[in-house]
Amino acid sequence: MDREIKRLAEILRDGNYHTAKELAAQTGVSEKTVRLRLKSMQYMLRACAEVESKARYGYRLLLTDEAVYREKTDPVKSCGFTPESAGERVDYLLHRLIDSRDYLRLDDLAEEMYISRNTISLDMKKVEQILSDFGLSLKRRPGYGISLQGRETARRRLMVYCGGREIQIGPESVTKETMARIGDRLKALVNRYDLEFTEFNFQNIVLHLYISYKRIEKGFILSDGIGDVEIDEEILHMVRELTDDLSVLLQITYTDAEIRYIALHFMGKQSLHGSGVTGNFVVPPEIIGLVDEMIEEIRQLFKMDFRQNLELKLRLYEHLVPLDIRLRFGLQLRNPLLAYVRAEYPLPYMVAECACKVLGRRYERELSCDEVSYIAILFALAMEYFENISRKKRILLVCNSGKVTAQLIALRYQKEFSPYIDSIDVCNLETLKKQNMKKWDVIFATVPIRFSVPLPVINIPLSLNDKDVEQVRNLLRRQDGGYMNYYYREELFFTHIAAESREQVIRDICEATGETIALPEGFYESVQKREDMMSTAYGYRCALLHPWFMSTDFSFASVAVLKEPVRWGSGVTGAPRYVQVVFLISLAEDELYCIQEFYEAITELVLSKERVERLIGTPSMEVLREIYMGH
C-alpha cells in the first residue's frame, strides 16, 4: 500500500466521519484525488475493511479483520516480498517512488527494508542511474525527502522495465489471474480482427494493459504527451472495443488519453505484414529515405552494397513503420534473442549498429540493444546470400606438372570444396607473369612462387589426404589470415600516438600513415568529414575511421593503440564514449579481397572487451594476428 492511501486509512480509522474537503486539507491534495484514493483503498482493503460513506457526513473506515489490515498496511509485507539483495532493494525503491505522490524520507525507506543509511545511499545511486535512462529524476527537499519527477508515460515505461512487478497487494496469484483475464480479452480482439502480433509482443501489450489498470486504480490518470498523435481510426476503434470490455471486467474508467496510449502500443508492436486492419501497407516517404540512408551508410563503411536488395528494403520498411512510433514516444520493445544475436551474428549486429546511427541522428535518441538486434536479424538474413557469393573464391591454380595433371587437381578441388569455390583456372609458373590478376581472388600453387604477385598465395599438395582436405577447407574459410597480409602492415601499426582529443588522434594517425605510404591530397580532411557526419566509435573502446569516399587506389588498414583512452564525443543520450584502439581503413573500389573475412575479424575484436583489453595490454601486430586467428 502506498504512503498516501495508508495515511488516509490512518485518518479514517478513528471511527469518525471525515468529509472529502476535510481529507483534502489534511493530505494536501484535491477533493477529486481524495475520492480516487478512497476508491483505490476500498479495493485494496476489501478483504479486511470497508470504506463507509454517508451523505453530508463523509467517510469512515470500518475494520472487518484487524490482523489482515495490519499485514496489508505493513510496507514490507504488503509488497509481496522482503527485499534482501541489492537488486530487490532497487526494485522496491523504484516502485515506492513510482507510486508515491509525496516526498519519501531515506530514513523511513531504510527502516522499511531493515537496512542502514549507508546501504540505502548506495542503492539510490543505482536507482538514479536507472531513472535517468527513462527521463526521470529525483527532487530533493531538505526536511521532506525525495520525490520522483517526470511524466506518467515515463513511469509506466519504467514499470515495464521492472517486469511489471509492482508493490503487490495480496498473493501473486491475483496478479497472474488478472493478467490472464486481460490476455483472454486481448486474444478475442486479435482473433476477431485477424491481427498479427508475435507471442512476445502480445505478452508485452498484456503487461502494458495491466500496468494501465493498476495506475488508473491508484488514481494516476494519464493525460500527457499523446493528444496530438495521429492514430489510425481503425486501431482506435478496436482499442475502444477492448477498453470498453476491460472497463466492465476491471471496474475502471479509461480516459481518451489512456485509449490513445494503448493504441500507440498496438501501432508500435503490430506486424504490418498480412494485416487487414490498416489496409494496404503504404510506406511513408520519410521511411523510404531513412532506409536509403541506412543502406548508404553501410556501403560507405563496410563496402557491402544492399542498394538493389529489394527484399531487405521491404523488410526494413515494414520494421521501421512501427519502430517510428516506438522511437518518437519512447515505447520499449525487448528482444528475447538479444544475447543469441550478438553472440552468433556479430557482423550483422555491427552492420545494424552502423545503420542505427542514422536513426539515432534522425530521432535524437540512442537505440537500445534490443532494437539494434531486431534490425541485425534483418541484415543477417540478407547477408546469408551476400556472404555465400562473396566467400566463393575465384582461384588461379599454378602447377608445373602439365596441363592434364593441373586439370585433374582443379577438378578434385572443385569437387571437394564446391561451397567455397566459384571457379578454378590453371596456368604454369612461366605464364603466371602474363596473367591479369584482377580476374582472381587467390592463387593456389603446387610449386614455390619466388617473385612478387598481387594476390595471396596458398601452397597446396599435388594429392589430397584427409588431413590435407581439412587444412585446405580451413584455409578457404579464412585463408589462413590471408586478409591480414593483404590489408595490414607491420609499419602501419602505431603505439606512439598520445593525443588528448579525437581530432588530434585522427590527424596523428593520418600523418603517421602518410609517412609510410603515399596518401592522396585531402585524405585527412575526408576522414575528418566522415567523422563529423557520424561518429565511427563502435564496440568496446574502438573506432573504425575511414574516408568519406573511396580515395586510394589500394586498400590498407592502419592501427593505433593509444597510450590513454580519448573521449570520442558522446552518445545521443549525452553519455561520453571513450576510444583507445583506432583503425584507419581505406578500401579501393577494385581491391575488396576477402572483405567479409576482414570485417568479420574486426567485428569479433571490437565487440569483445576481453580481446580489446588484450590488444591494449600488449599492443603489437603479432598479438593482433593471434587475436584474429583465435589464438
Side-chain angles (χ1 to χ4, degrees):
M1 177 182 294
D2 66 33
R3 185 175 179 179
E4 294 81 5
I5 293 178
K6 182 181 177 182
R7 186 178 177 189
L8 268 180
E10 289 172 349
I11 295 172
L12 295 173
R13 272 204 67 192
D14 63 3
N16 299 319
Y17 285 99
H18 299 268
T19 65
K21 183 176 181 180
E22 179 186 344
L23 293 170
Q26 291 188 55
T27 57
V29 296
S30 68
E31 292 181 40
K32 180 179 179 181
T33 299
V34 165
R35 292 190 178 94
L36 286 171
R37 291 180 182 175
L38 287 171
K39 184 177 180 181
S40 296
M41 184 171 66
Q42 173 71 70
Y43 179 80
M44 291 177 184
L45 299 179
R46 63 191 184 281
C48 59
E50 179 183 351
V51 177
E52 182 185 84
S53 63
K54 189 174 182 180
R56 297 191 302 275
Y57 286 85
Y59 306 87
R60 66 175 178 174
L61 187 66
L62 301 177
L63 298 187
T64 56
D65 190 325
E66 189 164 348
V68 173
Y69 174 81
R70 284 199 304 270
E71 182 178 351
K72 286 185 174 296
T73 53
D74 181 277
V76 174
K77 289 182 180 179
S78 66
C79 74
F81 70 97
T82 301
E84 296 177 354
S85 68
E88 289 178 348
R89 292 196 302 271
V90 167
D91 184 72
Y92 178 88
L93 289 168
L94 287 170
H95 283 301
R96 289 287 279 120
L97 288 164
I98 290 170
D99 279 352
S100 177
R101 292 184 177 85
D102 230 337
Y103 285 89
L104 300 173
R105 296 177 65 250
L106 287 184
D107 288 337
D108 292 341
L109 292 170
E111 184 179 343
E112 290 175 12
M113 296 186 290
Y114 309 107
I115 59 176
S116 69
R117 180 62 185 261
N118 287 339
T119 300
I120 198 172
S121 295
L122 292 173
D123 292 337
M124 286 304 301
K125 290 180 180 179
K126 299 175 185 176
V127 167
E128 290 196 77
Q129 179 58 55
I130 294 172
L131 293 178
S132 67
D133 292 341
F134 289 84
L136 297 167
S137 62
L138 292 179
K139 181 179 179 181
R140 289 176 168 81
R141 188 176 176 188
Y144 288 82
I146 57 176
S147 175
L148 184 61
Q149 304 294 302
R151 297 166 64 171
E152 173 64 18
T153 50
R155 295 172 188 236
R156 295 189 186 189
R157 291 199 302 272
L158 176 56
M159 292 181 73
V160 173
Y161 166 82
C162 293
R165 299 182 307 275
E166 65 167 318
I167 310 304
Q168 299 262 351
I169 300 297
E172 185 180 355
S173 59
V174 174
T175 298
K176 289 183 177 180
E177 180 185 346
T178 304
M179 290 187 70
R181 295 168 73 189
I182 292 172
D184 289 342
R185 299 306 198 275
L186 177 60
K187 186 175 182 179
L189 185 82
V190 167
N191 292 337
R192 186 157 62 247
Y193 286 96
D194 194 25
L195 303 180
E196 290 190 14
F197 294 105
T198 66
E199 179 64 26
F200 187 80
N201 286 348
F202 180 90
Q203 294 300 329
N204 191 272
I205 292 177
V206 171
L207 176 58
H208 277 285
L209 289 167
Y210 177 75
I211 289 173
S212 293
Y213 152 59
K214 298 305 292 185
R215 297 298 282 173
I216 294 170
E217 185 186 53
K218 293 179 179 180
F220 294 95
I221 307 301
L222 188 64
S223 61
D224 56 354
I226 56 174
D228 58 348
V229 180
E230 183 178 344
I231 298 178
D232 186 279
E233 285 298 325
E234 289 185 79
I235 290 180
L236 274 177
H237 173 74
M238 288 187 307
V239 173
R240 286 196 175 99
E241 276 192 29
L242 178 63
T243 52
D244 286 346
D245 192 10
L246 293 177
S247 293
V248 176
L249 173 70
L250 304 173
Q251 294 297 298
I252 58 174
T253 300
Y254 288 91
T255 64
D256 185 63
E258 292 282 356
I259 293 171
R260 294 174 69 83
Y261 182 66
I262 295 169
L264 278 182
H265 285 285
F266 270 65
M267 293 171 65
K269 295 179 176 66
Q270 183 189 345
S271 170
L272 297 178
H273 180 69
S275 172
V277 176
T278 56
N280 295 326
F281 176 30
V282 179
V283 185
E286 56 270 22
I287 297 296
I288 294 175
L290 271 177
V291 169
D292 288 344
E293 283 186 51
M294 293 165 71
I295 288 175
E296 179 61 23
E297 187 68 22
I298 292 165
R299 192 176 75 89
Q300 288 293 332
L301 178 57
F302 294 97
K303 305 304 176 282
M304 298 177 187
D305 194 347
F306 296 107
R307 288 177 295 179
Q308 304 305 317
N309 192 326
L310 180 59
E311 184 177 0
L312 172 63
K313 284 188 172 183
L314 290 174
R315 285 173 174 164
L316 286 170
Y317 294 154
E318 183 179 347
H319 186 79
L320 259 62
V321 170
L323 176 60
D324 171 72
I325 297 292
R326 296 198 296 273
L327 290 178
R328 282 197 286 142
F329 301 101
L331 306 182
Q332 303 293 315
L333 184 62
R334 296 294 183 90
N335 188 348
L337 297 177
L338 170 61
Y340 174 79
V341 171
R342 294 185 73 168
E344 298 297 324
Y345 297 96
L347 182 55
Y349 187 86
M350 190 170 175
V351 168
E353 277 195 319
C354 172
C356 288
K357 285 179 179 288
V358 174
L359 300 176
R361 182 175 59 188
R362 174 67 64 90
Y363 290 94
E364 297 183 345
R365 181 189 296 275
E366 194 164 349
L367 273 72
S368 68
C369 294
D370 296 275
E371 293 288 10
V372 172
S373 62
Y374 275 114
I375 293 176
I377 292 171
L378 304 183
F379 279 107
L381 293 172
M383 289 169 67
E384 284 296 320
Y385 174 74
F386 187 86
E387 289 178 357
N388 287 338
I389 294 175
S390 65
R391 287 186 177 185
K392 284 198 170 187
K393 305 298 183 291
R394 297 168 300 171
I395 295 172
L396 177 61
L397 174 64
V398 180
C399 179
N400 273 9
S401 299
K403 187 173 182 180
V404 173
T405 301
Q407 291 289 356
L408 286 173
I409 293 172
L411 185 63
R412 176 74 192 278
Y413 273 74
Q414 184 76 63
K415 181 180 179 180
E416 288 285 352
F417 311 111
S418 58
Y420 309 102
I421 295 177
D422 179 56
S423 62
I424 299 182
D425 296 308
V426 299
C427 73
N428 58 37
L429 200 58
E430 185 63 30
T431 58
L432 175 62
K433 297 178 181 180
K434 303 174 184 178
Q435 302 295 330
N436 177 8
M437 296 298 176
K438 291 184 179 180
K439 294 169 58 178
W440 299 284
D441 300 310
V442 62
I443 293 173
F444 278 13
T446 62
V447 293
I449 299 175
R450 305 192 186 283
F451 51 87
S452 178
V453 290
L455 292 178
V457 176
I458 296 177
N459 294 316
I460 62 170
L462 278 171
S463 59
L464 286 171
N465 56 37
D466 291 343
K467 183 177 180 181
D468 293 329
V469 169
E470 187 59 29
Q471 285 180 341
V472 173
R473 183 174 287 112
N474 288 333
L475 290 174
L476 285 168
R477 283 173 179 162
R478 188 164 274 193
Q479 298 195 356
D480 200 21
Y483 60 90
M484 286 287 295
N485 298 327
Y486 190 77
Y487 291 105
Y488 294 98
R489 305 184 191 182
E490 186 74 40
E491 60 270 26
L492 293 181
F493 192 100
F494 309 116
T495 59
H496 66 279
I497 294 177
E500 296 183 356
S501 69
R502 177 182 64 178
E503 293 72 22
Q504 191 60 49
V505 170
I506 296 173
R507 181 177 294 278
D508 287 355
I509 193 173
C510 287
E511 287 181 355
T513 301
E515 291 173 1
T516 302
I517 59 178
L519 296 177
E521 185 178 350
F523 182 84
Y524 158 72
E525 288 77 10
S526 180
V527 174
Q528 186 62 63
K529 177 183 178 182
R530 176 62 187 77
E531 189 65 33
D532 291 341
M533 290 293 294
M534 192 175 298
S535 172
T536 57
Y538 288 97
Y540 178 74
R541 294 198 171 186
C542 290
L544 305 181
L545 297 174
H546 60 97
W548 180 242
F549 294 109
M550 291 184 183
S551 55
T552 56
D553 55 7
F554 57 91
S555 299
F556 70 86
S558 298
V559 185
V561 180
L562 309 180
K563 293 185 178 300
E564 297 291 338
V566 170
R567 179 165 178 169
W568 212 264
S570 303
V572 177
T573 60
R577 302 195 68 168
Y578 291 91
V579 163
Q580 196 165 357
V581 178
V582 181
F583 293 85
L584 173 59
I585 303 164
S586 182
L587 303 175
E589 190 74 59
D590 58 350
E591 287 193 4
L592 300 181
Y593 164 72
C594 277
I595 190 66
Q596 287 292 110
E597 289 88 341
F598 172 74
Y599 272 117
E600 278 182 353
I602 287 184
T603 301
E604 290 174 6
L605 169 60
V606 304
L607 294 180
S608 169
K609 179 180 178 181
E610 179 183 355
R611 294 181 184 183
V612 173
E613 289 186 340
R614 179 184 172 191
L615 183 60
I616 292 172
T618 312
S620 69
M621 181 61 75
E622 181 181 356
V623 170
L624 180 63
R625 180 182 292 277
E626 289 176 359
I627 291 172
Y628 277 178
M629 299 309 297
H631 301 315

